[in-house]
Amino acid sequence: MSLLFILSARNVAAETPPIKVASINLCADQLVLLLADKEQIRSLSTLSHDEAGSFYFEKARSFPTNDGHAEEILTLQPDVVIVGQYSNKHTVALLKEVGLTLQTLPIANSIEAVLDNILNVAKWVGHRQRGEALIATLRNRLLALESSQESRPLAAVYDPNGYTSGGQSVRGQIMEYAGWRNAASLAGIESYGKLTLEAIIKLQPDALIESPYSPGTYSRAQAMSQHPALLAAGLDPQIIHIPSRMTVCGGPWTFDVIELLQAERLKLASE
Amino acid sequence: MTLSQGKLCTILSVIALLLFVVSVSIGRDSLPLFAALKDTLAGTDSVYSVILTQIRLPRALIALVAGATLGLCGAAMQGLLRNPLASPGLVGSASGAAFFAVLVLYFGSNIVPPYVLPLAGMFGALLATALVYALAGRDASVTTLILAGVAINALATAGMSLLLNLAPSPFAVRELVLWTLGDITDRSMSDFWLMLPTSLIGWAMLVGVGGKLDSLTLGERTAQSMGVNPVHLRWRVFIAVSLAVGAAVATVGMIGFIGLVVPHLLRPYVAHEPGRLLAASALGGACVLLAADIGVRLIPTDSPLKVGVLTALVGAPFFLHLIVRSRREYL
């Protein structure tokens, strides 16, 4: 029965020509690579080939890239162009003016928004069912998370220069789902802000979660954990390292991060 | 090295025209120009004709007009203030325009239609000039005017820093910063039509100012005895600069050094006469911005190079060279 269904779905797909897609935004690149068929993808952004920012960088390398200029996109004649919320305003206006169909991928500020983005990109590239199936799997993974409330240690996202994420951000929600309490929220940061050294000493987080964009260089979180003031206060937060390609954009890998952080939490509890 | 005005302007016009043609024919991917022209003239909407008329043409036209504005206004300000360090940004209109444009990017970039951005920039330029007027008073001396301009500049810059500081995400910060760097990529014909009237009014107000600036080189008193009203002249130049530079900055962002360097570069060829320098600087400015905008497309960089960055990078060492050379000449 299900085989028959797949076969008939194939036939429908063969009748309507596939939607040609171009993306000028890194996060849209990822979701296009995830949800569209190979033949549909006309162009991805240059950043899609970048190891540090692009989760599917290996897969992306078999596709041509663009620098996000109107001219390059127009010559490709895509059926839909996916742009980011902060793509160049002039390019977006010009692409609209010359008659291309544009879709804007907003920046996800919650896990729900990540799922919405997956569904929307799936619709834009003509694979709605594919998106719905993926979302169902991801929701099940959230439900399967170990949800004991006994140990909820405190952690903070620690990016270079002390930037951190509060509860109204994907990274904040990741911590929530993984069972950590967020020091940034306790410090009054809602979405994105700076975590001062004083706040760290006062809140005494058990872990700092870092995700440096240039790995191999020196770790800001590591340096911070060695700060004399922290040592003097007797603090020795654990440093949890997450590759930046898993935190720059939201997607299925976001759920990998949740599971990874949960495992780290359970490890800490058993120590 | 003095050339006759006609000869100099002809040479510069020819260079500008050549650069304009090069600018239209250059892009990341080569365009079959002949086919594009044929489609355009035949009125068929092919990809090539759309690229030619709706992407490359506005870019070249905007570079031409904005460059001419910066060169012309630089020459006018240097003539008026009799100071070779004066630049069009001195009256506060450039930073006023930039501040209002950044304000629109910050609050309403996804809500408002695209033409609001340049309009807000032009409004900001006028508001800045009005504030300078209010601060300095009608009969202000040159020094008071410059001080008022500096104060307004500082205020607008502080406002921009505040918006950067409060930006909701790193992406927003990046967008705001990149906008201020100055760039002509992917502007449309509607951007060009929006900037053109205000630019033309500014240019028109500077027609006939040349002779008065020449008289002014003899000193304000002498110029007055020759029938020049210095206060009237000052405001005429200020408002003209504010209109034209405001339109340019609102459309392309902050593009430095053209207004400062181009008049310097051309001064020897016009026998150091500020009046003759105006037209020459306008053409020279257009040439430099067109050339720089071709440069950013030819220089391969990972992130696209912004034209304002290139003009500053090339302009600053060149300016130093000019200073060293002029010092040698005076010794």
Side-chain angles (χ1 to χ4, degrees):
Chain A
M1 182 64 195
S2 63
L3 186 70
L4 198 71
F5 175 70
I6 291 172
L7 283 175
S8 64
R10 281 259 169 85
N11 283 338
V12 172
E15 279 160 25
T16 46
I19 298 170
K20 291 174 283 175
V21 194
S23 155
I24 62 168
N25 172 270
L26 174 65
C27 294
D29 294 336
Q30 311 298 313
L31 298 181
V32 166
L33 283 166
L34 178 74
L35 296 158
D37 290 322
K38 225 173 153 183
E39 318 70 81
Q40 290 184 271
I41 305 175
R42 285 302 139 104
S43 180
L44 301 171
S45 79
T46 316
L47 279 176
S48 68
H49 288 196
D50 177 30
E51 264 179 69
S54 175
F55 187 72
Y56 296 126
F57 69 97
E58 279 167 326
K59 202 173 164 191
R61 284 181 182 162
S62 54
F63 297 99
T65 60
N66 65 73
D67 285 331
H69 292 319
E71 206 174 303
E72 306 168 89
I73 303 300
L74 188 59
T75 36
L76 301 168
Q77 288 287 291
D79 299 313
V80 61
V81 185
I82 306 183
V83 304
Q85 190 180 337
Y86 289 102
S87 290
N88 188 323
K89 293 278 138 19
H90 300 286
T91 307
V92 170
L94 186 54
L95 285 174
K96 270 188 196 151
E97 213 169 293
V98 299
L100 289 179
T101 308
L102 262 67
Q103 298 289 359
T104 307
L105 186 77
I107 289 188
N109 287 322
S110 65
I111 297 292
E112 273 310 311
V114 170
L115 295 176
D116 282 349
N117 278 352
I118 291 176
L119 184 64
N120 279 326
V121 172
K123 278 190 218 160
W124 297 334
V125 301
H127 294 292
R128 192 195 169 111
Q129 284 165 343
R130 213 176 268 181
E132 281 168 350
L134 177 63
I135 289 170
T137 328
L138 295 174
R139 283 200 193 281
N140 282 335
R141 280 172 71 181
L142 283 186
L143 292 175
L145 288 169
E146 195 270 343
S147 56
S148 77
Q149 299 290 309
E150 321 169 348
S151 72
R152 279 172 60 81
L154 191 66
V157 164
Y158 196 82
D159 281 344
N161 298 322
Y163 279 99
T164 191
S165 307
Q168 289 168 27
S169 70
V170 172
R171 289 178 76 184
Q173 290 212 334
I174 286 174
M175 292 168 64
E176 184 87 16
Y177 275 108
W180 294 83
R181 282 178 306 135
N182 190 349
S185 306
L186 298 183
I189 293 162
E190 285 180 356
S191 58
Y192 164 81
K194 253 182 155 170
L195 196 62
T196 58
L197 187 58
E198 287 183 21
I200 291 180
I201 291 174
K202 212 163 71 188
L203 296 166
Q204 310 213 337
D206 302 292
L208 295 177
I209 303 166
E210 69 163 358
S211 188
Y213 198 74
S214 337
T217 54
Y218 99 118
S219 155
R220 301 292 181 108
Q222 200 75 51
M224 165 57 96
S225 70
Q226 298 304 315
H227 194 284
L230 245 65
L231 293 177
L235 284 178
D236 183 20
Q238 187 194 344
I239 309 295
I240 301 173
H241 179 92
I242 297 167
S244 57
R245 72 176 77 99
M246 300 180 86
T247 54
V248 172
C249 297
W253 54 89
T254 305
F255 298 78
D256 299 343
V257 178
I258 294 178
E259 285 156 2
L260 191 146
L261 282 181
Q262 173 172 263
E264 290 286 344
R265 174 175 67 88
L266 296 173
K267 209 168 81 189
L268 190 79
S270 66
E271 266 170 18
Chain B
M1 275 299 272
T2 308
L3 293 170
S4 81
Q5 184 76 343
K7 215 169 166 184
L8 181 67
C9 287
T10 313
I11 294 173
L12 288 171
S13 304
V14 170
I15 297 175
L17 190 69
L18 285 176
L19 286 167
F20 187 86
V21 172
V22 173
S23 175
V24 168
S25 44
I26 270 187
R28 178 166 145 148
D29 301 307
S30 63
L31 179 74
L33 265 187
F34 188 70
L37 264 178
K38 218 173 72 181
D39 286 345
T40 308
L41 294 177
T44 38
D45 253 359
S46 72
V47 175
Y48 298 140
S49 73
V50 169
I51 289 181
L52 185 70
T53 57
Q54 296 198 50
I55 297 182
R56 293 197 183 171
L57 188 64
R59 183 172 187 160
L61 284 171
I62 288 172
L64 186 82
V65 172
T69 289
L70 292 171
L72 173 69
C73 293
M77 289 299 288
Q78 292 181 6
L80 177 75
L81 303 179
R82 283 168 289 157
N83 186 330
L85 284 174
S87 74
L90 213 59
V91 287
S93 60
S95 44
F99 174 59
F100 269 75
V102 167
L103 205 64
V104 168
L105 282 177
Y106 184 88
F107 283 111
S109 56
N110 292 311
I111 321 162
V112 296
Y115 56 80
V116 173
L117 181 66
L119 284 181
M122 286 181 231
F123 172 76
L126 286 179
L127 186 71
T129 310
L131 276 174
V132 168
Y133 187 94
L135 269 174
R138 213 190 78 83
D139 301 317
S141 70
V142 167
T143 321
T144 324
L145 274 178
I146 294 177
L147 281 177
V150 167
I152 294 301
N153 268 331
L155 192 66
T157 316
M160 278 193 277
S161 308
L162 179 70
L163 289 180
L164 281 178
N165 196 168
L166 297 180
S169 76
F171 306 103
V173 174
R174 187 172 183 279
E175 184 191 29
L176 296 181
V177 172
L178 284 185
W179 190 86
T180 57
L181 292 184
D183 182 34
I184 324 179
T185 309
D186 291 348
R187 299 305 191 269
S188 65
M189 280 311 279
S190 27
D191 287 318
F192 174 69
W193 294 122
L194 272 176
M195 86 181 283
L196 191 64
T198 324
S199 306
L200 287 180
I201 295 171
W203 295 1
M205 283 178 73
L206 289 175
V207 171
V209 161
K212 299 191 166 101
L213 290 179
D214 285 340
S215 322
L216 206 60
T217 52
L218 305 169
E220 218 160 80
R221 289 265 169 83
T222 321
Q224 229 161 343
S225 73
M226 291 164 78
V228 177
N229 179 343
V231 175
H232 183 229
L233 177 65
R234 216 171 285 150
W235 282 112
R236 182 167 161 187
V237 172
F238 263 49
I239 292 168
V241 167
S242 158
L243 286 169
V245 171
V249 172
T251 314
V252 301
M254 305 272 245
I255 294 180
F257 274 98
I258 290 183
L260 191 61
V261 169
V262 169
H264 273 278
L265 186 67
L266 294 171
R267 201 166 276 124
Y269 302 103
V270 295
H272 295 262
E273 286 172 32
R276 284 182 56 195
L277 190 58
L278 291 179
S281 289
L283 289 166
C287 291
V288 171
L289 190 52
L290 278 167
D293 190 45
I294 292 167
V296 294
R297 277 177 279 179
L298 293 181
I299 301 169
T301 48
D302 276 351
S303 306
L305 193 61
K306 302 283 173 190
V307 72
V309 178
L310 186 66
T311 57
L313 267 179
V314 177
F318 187 73
F319 193 58
L320 282 175
H321 163 76
L322 285 177
I323 293 170
V324 171
R325 198 182 67 183
S326 68
R327 201 177 58 180
R328 222 178 287 139
E329 274 167 13
Y330 289 133
L331 281 175

